[in-house]
Amino acid sequence: MRLTFLLCLFLAFLNCEDKQTKKKTPRETQVTKTDKKEKKKPTIDSVIEPKRAFPKLNSKSAMAFFLDYNKKHKENKVRITTDFGTIDILLYNETKFHRSNFIFLTKQKYFDNTQFYRVIDNYIVQAGNSDDKKTAKKRARIGRYLLPPDTKRGFTHHRGAVSMPSSEINNPYKLASPFEFFIVQQKGGASFLDGDYTIFGKVIRGMDVVDKIAAVETDRGDWPDKNVYIRKVEIIN
């Protein structure tokens, strides 16, 4: 009887030790996983947006921003590389807000991989937009703003003029959509547009490329049947 009692006591002791071991192991594993998770946990700096080099713009802040930007960024020539060749553009210093806006967007690489999305032969080719979500994201990062018209500088919508279209919103004052532009391709120009849209530059080389783009087949909405991309826009001397 005593031997049986001791044997039961011994087995109970072993069972108790085994349970303690099983309880301890998951806790240590959990702590280890927690420790690893803590090590991999992103810091505040890694989850927030990196420090911006410029403020997010809106219609109230854009004018002051570009007025200051105009003082520091004097570039006025850009090269647009398209699927059909390159187009060189001279931006007018007289339209300082629109010139500064275009230089700013160029340096932000906004125009890269956007498209000529509205093409009307013997009229205009319009660019700076895309159905790619990346374009919408770039716009969201830069900000939502419009630019006021600047139409009394003596420029006219001659062939090769670079102008800024109005926003699609209810827009009686013809506020300009800063992310887009159009080039007049019409022979003899399109002077009937004068006074409504801001001319802020002209093509100085590459009108043959503009003509090639204008000649592509389009759908009923004037969108090219085969996308015509702006591969990049860069500042030149």
Side-chain angles (χ1 to χ4, degrees):
M1 181 70 71
R2 183 176 181 182
L3 182 59
T4 301
F5 172 80
L6 291 174
L7 181 59
C8 290
L9 185 62
F10 178 74
L11 291 175
F13 175 80
L14 289 179
N15 189 45
C16 183
E17 281 290 304
D18 186 56
K19 288 181 180 180
Q20 291 296 328
T21 302
K22 288 181 181 179
K23 287 181 181 178
K24 184 176 182 180
T25 302
R27 187 175 67 246
E28 287 179 347
T29 304
Q30 187 175 359
V31 170
T32 303
K33 287 183 178 179
T34 302
D35 289 342
K36 288 181 179 179
K37 188 180 290 185
E38 289 297 327
K39 289 178 183 178
K40 292 181 179 180
K41 185 177 181 181
T43 63
I44 294 178
D45 291 336
S46 66
V47 295
I48 64 175
E49 183 178 303
K51 186 177 180 180
R52 299 174 64 95
F54 59 89
K56 189 170 185 177
L57 299 176
N58 56 49
S59 291
K60 291 183 179 179
S61 65
M63 296 301 289
F65 174 81
F66 288 119
L67 183 63
D68 184 62
Y69 198 86
N70 177 68
K71 298 174 183 176
K72 302 171 184 176
H73 301 265
K74 299 297 185 180
E75 303 92 339
N76 66 350
K77 291 180 183 178
V78 297
R79 175 166 293 157
I80 301 173
T81 300
T82 78
D83 290 338
F84 289 85
T86 59
I87 305 167
D88 290 353
I89 290 175
L90 171 69
L91 303 174
Y92 296 141
N93 293 321
E94 291 86 343
T95 50
K96 58 187 176 182
F97 293 109
H98 301 74
R99 180 199 65 80
S100 297
N101 172 75
F102 202 90
I103 292 297
F104 170 71
L105 294 179
T106 296
K107 290 186 175 182
Q108 299 304 315
K109 300 187 182 301
Y110 165 75
F111 295 110
D112 296 6
N113 298 312
T114 56
Q115 299 171 26
F116 284 89
Y117 66 93
R118 185 177 181 225
V119 171
I120 305 175
D121 195 15
N122 197 30
Y123 182 35
I124 63 169
V125 295
Q126 190 163 321
N129 208 340
S130 172
D131 53 3
D132 190 329
K133 292 181 180 179
K134 291 181 181 179
T135 300
K137 289 181 180 179
K138 283 191 283 187
R139 289 190 180 203
R141 172 170 166 73
I142 291 167
R144 182 178 175 83
Y145 62 100
L146 299 174
L147 294 177
D150 191 357
T151 60
K152 298 179 180 180
R153 300 291 179 177
F155 303 123
T156 187
H157 285 85
H158 57 72
R159 174 175 159 83
V162 182
S163 191
M164 195 169 288
S166 298
S167 169
E168 292 183 356
I169 64 173
N170 185 18
N171 192 3
Y173 299 105
K174 297 289 185 181
L175 297 178
S177 175
F179 297 104
E180 300 170 27
F181 64 95
F182 66 87
I183 300 172
V184 177
Q185 186 258 345
Q186 182 171 322
K187 295 177 176 64
S191 59
F192 56 88
L193 297 175
D194 294 352
D196 287 335
Y197 305 97
T198 299
I199 303 158
F200 65 99
K202 66 178 180 179
V203 174
I204 55 177
R205 190 180 70 85
M207 276 305 296
D208 59 324
V209 176
V210 175
D211 289 337
K212 289 176 183 177
I213 294 171
V216 303
E217 295 293 326
T218 63
D219 62 19
R220 292 182 180 179
D222 302 320
W223 193 295
D225 290 338
K226 183 178 180 181
N227 288 335
V228 181
Y229 285 96
I230 293 176
R231 298 302 175 179
K232 65 177 178 178
V233 178
E234 58 190 324
I235 295 167
I236 58 175
N237 295 322

